Amino acid sequence: MSTTKEQEQSELHAKIWKIADALRGAVDGWDFKAYVIVAMFYRFLSENLTDYVNGIQEEYDPNFDYAKYPDEGITDEVREDIVKTKGFFIMPSDLFVNVLARANELSTNMKESNLFTASKSERDEKSERPEDEFLNVRLSEIFKRIENSALGTASESDFKGLFSDFDPNSPKLGAGPSKREERLLNVLNGVAAMNLSHSGNRIDAFGDAYEFLMAMYASNAGKSGGEFFTPQEVSELLAKLAVSGQKQINKAYDPACGSGSLLLKVKTEASRVSKGGVAKGFYGQEINLTTYNLCRINMILHGVPFNKFDIRNGDTLMDPAKEHWDEEPFDVIVSNPPYSIKWKGDDDPILINDPRFSPPGVLAPKSKADLAFVLHSLAWLSERGAAAIVCFPGIMYRGGAEQKIRKYLVTNNFVDCVIQLPGNLFFGTSIATCIMVLKKNKKDDSVLFIDASREFVKVTNNNKLTDDNIAKIVDAYEAREEIGYFARLAPYDEIAENDYNLSVSTYVEQEDTREKIDIVELNAEIARIVKREQELRDAIDKIIAEITL
């Protein structure tokens, strides 16, 4: 990364902190994040659409500016054509830049008239400002219009309810309309001040600001924040493992996609190994409504066209998206599913007949759904593909149903690799997790075990994988050879003898880092010391004898 890019990112992050400081004590943590991200998204959509229209008109009028074009000049035909291409539409008067300019003008007038501090009756008497000129009302209506612009079109599912978590009328913004107006204006002005066009690539800047916001609040929010966010370096490792060796990739999928960071890392990595990247797009399902909305926003902010992603809201285990189920299997699956959550398991007699879960003959325990997610991913994986899944360590060694499921996975030669990660990598938990890589086209019946528990650097309260750490792990995975104290290829028979235990520590010898002592040399050194001690005593005795004569 160039120095200029680092400086630009630092300035961008500083502006985000400035907005946070302005709202401190009023809107906390994840609520603040939602307001800033949606405001950024609104600005992105506005500028993206403006650039698109200006680019078309440039041939006819180099000075054309969609932001200054009258709403009355927009025909239904123009609007429909834009929606077909972009997936949404915004009238010129509803663009971020115009709404902000009008809001700042009205705010200035209110301050000059002392209307912010006046009583409601005084404001009503002194101001003829219509209700829809208040920023909270204006934004609510604009966001509805953006969502409605996609109704009945191919992009409807991608925009429906996209702004539902942005509540401009929330009491969290303030007790009255004037306070809410002031804080909303602070957010919009803060987002407007961000340099989101560095290096000539606005998408990279918007995406970077999004990732910074997610990481900033995941690190401070404990489990409630961390469960929605996989650190970028872990996402990068999973993506590299899943795309490794694939020359063509049809689709990428995450059954517990959170905010979409894993899928977006696959987008980056796939472009390096496959000429066409991920040819048919990105698919995911997320049970949390807020995070589901964030994921769709994240896709668009990172330049994924509306017709290249399909993210659904729902319970993946109990109600997988039917459209995903009907699709061809996925070449790349990446996932960091929730650890040891409860599910219906054998309380639901139908599940044992579900083709995703039935092959082992048992279901994952009701109190621990981890292996249910693994089996779901395996069922949706293509014959040539790979799935890289973050796993709770207990599923690698516990007995009962989990042991039977592991036996099924190993016996049918689906487990390609198990990687032990360092502890304290994830926000909200210090647990040392693992990665399981699944394949259906293995060339041998061995399992590669990699002990990467020492591959990290300490950063504040968390550990972090560096580029070198990631490269070392991926190189070992691709080489599939034994490396002392780090990687070992264990044959099927050995795993069977260990009752299908897949804990890395069972197969990779731990290096003894204690200082090695040569006993023979140590005894010789002791003898020399004793001899020298005796020589010194004799010399002292001789001196004392001479003195006492």
Side-chain angles (χ1 to χ4, degrees):
M1 182 184 290
S2 67
T3 303
T4 302
K5 181 84 173 284
E6 288 176 345
Q7 289 174 342
E8 288 170 342
Q9 284 187 326
S10 179
E11 291 171 3
L12 178 61
H13 298 169
K15 284 185 169 65
I16 294 174
W17 273 115
K18 186 176 180 180
I19 305 173
D21 285 338
L23 298 183
R24 193 177 302 278
V27 182
D28 294 326
W30 289 86
D31 292 319
F32 161 76
K33 171 192 58 60
Y35 282 110
V36 177
I37 286 178
V38 172
M40 281 170 41
F41 183 55
Y42 172 38
R43 177 182 163 185
F44 173 85
L45 291 178
S46 297
E47 295 181 3
N48 183 271
L49 182 62
T50 300
D51 290 347
Y52 171 73
V53 177
N54 288 352
I56 293 175
Q57 294 297 321
E58 186 176 18
E59 180 181 350
Y60 311 101
D61 180 4
N63 298 316
F64 180 86
D65 185 356
Y66 181 68
K68 297 177 181 177
Y69 197 74
D71 288 359
E72 296 75 18
I74 306 295
T75 65
D76 290 341
E77 184 181 6
V78 168
R79 179 164 31 196
E80 289 171 5
D81 285 344
I82 290 175
V83 173
K84 284 180 183 178
T85 303
K86 303 302 294 181
F88 68 95
F89 179 79
I90 305 175
M91 278 288 189
S93 63
D94 285 347
L95 294 171
F96 179 94
V97 62
N98 291 330
V99 171
L100 180 58
R102 178 60 176 161
N104 280 324
E105 177 188 348
L106 291 170
S107 176
T108 300
N109 293 341
M110 291 281 281
K111 289 176 181 177
E112 290 175 351
S113 303
N114 293 319
L115 290 180
F116 271 131
T117 56
S119 66
K120 184 178 185 304
S121 59
E122 289 175 323
R123 287 198 302 272
D124 292 341
E125 183 180 343
K126 294 181 180 179
S127 175
E128 297 180 357
R129 182 179 181 184
E131 183 182 6
D132 61 4
E133 283 282 16
F134 284 94
L135 188 56
N136 59 335
V137 177
R138 184 84 191 275
L139 290 176
S140 294
E141 293 178 346
I142 289 171
F143 293 164
K144 285 179 184 177
R145 285 196 283 270
I146 294 174
E147 290 183 10
N148 290 339
S149 71
L151 288 176
T153 72
S155 61
E156 179 177 352
S157 63
D158 296 320
F159 282 85
K160 186 177 181 180
L162 202 53
F163 295 95
S164 60
D165 289 302
F166 186 96
D167 183 5
N169 301 305
S170 171
K172 293 179 181 179
L173 286 169
S178 61
K179 206 63 182 174
R180 292 172 196 172
E181 174 104 357
E182 179 184 351
R183 285 177 175 149
L184 281 172
L185 201 50
N186 278 337
V187 172
L188 293 190
N189 278 317
V191 169
M194 294 180 188
N195 178 14
L196 298 176
S197 304
H198 64 56
S199 304
N201 192 335
R202 184 173 295 122
I203 289 172
D204 284 347
F206 273 101
D208 177 74
Y210 177 94
E211 297 296 340
F212 176 73
L213 269 166
M214 294 295 290
M216 182 171 81
Y217 278 99
S219 62
N220 292 325
K223 184 178 179 182
S224 63
E227 67 184 0
F228 301 139
F229 185 73
T230 303
Q232 289 191 47
E233 63 274 8
V234 179
S235 298
E236 182 178 340
L237 173 59
L238 285 167
K240 286 180 181 293
L241 293 169
V243 306
S244 175
Q246 301 205 50
K247 302 301 181 184
Q248 291 182 317
I249 299 171
N250 65 350
K251 300 177 303 179
Y253 173 65
D254 185 346
C257 60
S259 63
S261 62
L262 275 170
L263 289 172
L264 289 167
K265 284 298 180 185
V266 170
K267 176 177 178 284
T268 300
E269 295 302 324
S271 65
R272 296 177 182 174
V273 302
S274 173
K275 185 177 180 180
V278 179
K280 296 183 179 180
F282 304 86
Y283 296 73
Q285 189 160 345
E286 171 56 41
I287 194 169
N288 181 283
L289 180 60
T290 296
T291 319
Y292 157 71
N293 288 333
L294 286 175
C295 183
R296 292 186 293 161
I297 288 174
N298 202 11
M299 289 286 150
I300 297 170
L301 283 178
H302 282 81
V304 182
F306 73 88
N307 57 355
K308 282 291 180 116
F309 72 86
D310 186 352
I311 309 299
R312 299 300 176 95
N313 178 220
D315 186 334
T316 301
L317 297 181
M318 302 307 300
D319 188 23
K322 300 300 187 294
E323 293 80 4
H324 296 175
W325 182 265
D326 294 336
E327 289 280 351
E328 62 184 290
F330 299 94
D331 286 345
V332 168
I333 296 178
V334 286
S335 188
N336 178 19
Y339 307 145
S340 300
I341 62 167
K342 295 179 181 179
W343 75 311
K344 287 187 177 181
D346 56 18
D347 279 348
D348 186 340
I350 297 177
L351 285 175
I352 194 59
N353 297 316
D354 189 312
R356 296 172 296 162
F357 310 127
S358 61
V362 293
L363 296 172
K366 289 179 290 188
S367 60
K368 303 174 183 68
D370 306 73
L371 282 172
F373 280 103
V374 170
L375 290 171
H376 169 85
S377 295
L378 178 66
W380 287 23
L381 182 65
S382 72
E383 292 296 325
R384 69 183 185 188
I389 306 165
V390 178
C391 299
F392 187 82
I395 71 167
M396 301 297 177
Y397 59 80
R398 287 190 298 241
E402 290 179 313
Q403 191 264 353
K404 293 178 181 178
I405 294 173
R406 290 197 308 274
K407 179 179 180 180
Y408 163 76
L409 294 172
V410 175
T411 302
N412 287 276
N413 205 25
F414 294 136
V415 183
D416 187 47
C417 180
V418 179
I419 302 168
Q420 177 63 60
L421 295 175
N424 209 28
L425 281 181
F426 293 85
F427 302 116
T429 179
S430 60
I431 294 171
T433 57
C434 307
I435 294 175
M436 182 184 289
V437 182
L438 302 174
K439 284 187 175 180
K440 294 181 176 179
N441 62 345
K442 288 177 59 185
K443 296 179 180 179
D444 59 64
D445 64 354
S446 300
V447 176
L448 179 66
F449 292 90
I450 298 176
D451 183 1
S453 58
R454 296 181 182 177
E455 297 299 314
F456 68 90
V457 294
K458 189 76 174 175
V459 179
T460 60
N461 295 325
N462 280 81
N463 295 329
K464 181 182 176 69
L465 297 174
T466 66
D467 290 343
D468 289 341
N469 296 145
I470 293 171
K472 182 178 178 180
I473 296 168
V474 174
D475 287 347
Y477 171 72
E478 294 178 341
R480 206 168 176 79
E481 296 175 352
E482 212 158 302
I483 302 172
Y485 309 114
F486 186 69
R488 179 155 180 269
L489 203 57
Y492 168 80
D493 290 343
E494 183 180 350
I495 298 172
E497 288 173 6
N498 285 305
D499 293 326
Y500 302 96
N501 184 320
L502 294 178
S503 296
V504 172
S505 59
T506 302
Y507 304 96
V508 180
E509 181 184 359
Q510 294 287 311
E511 183 177 8
D512 187 351
T513 57
R514 294 175 298 178
E515 182 182 358
K516 295 181 180 179
I517 299 174
D518 188 327
I519 299 299
V520 175
E521 177 60 30
L522 178 61
N523 285 335
E525 180 65 20
I526 292 173
R528 285 192 294 271
I529 292 172
V530 170
K531 181 180 178 182
R532 179 58 178 161
E533 183 182 21
Q534 188 58 48
E535 289 173 352
L536 291 172
R537 286 183 182 278
D538 291 344
I540 292 171
D541 289 344
K542 183 177 180 181
I543 293 171
I544 292 173
E546 291 176 352
I547 293 173
T548 56
L549 285 176

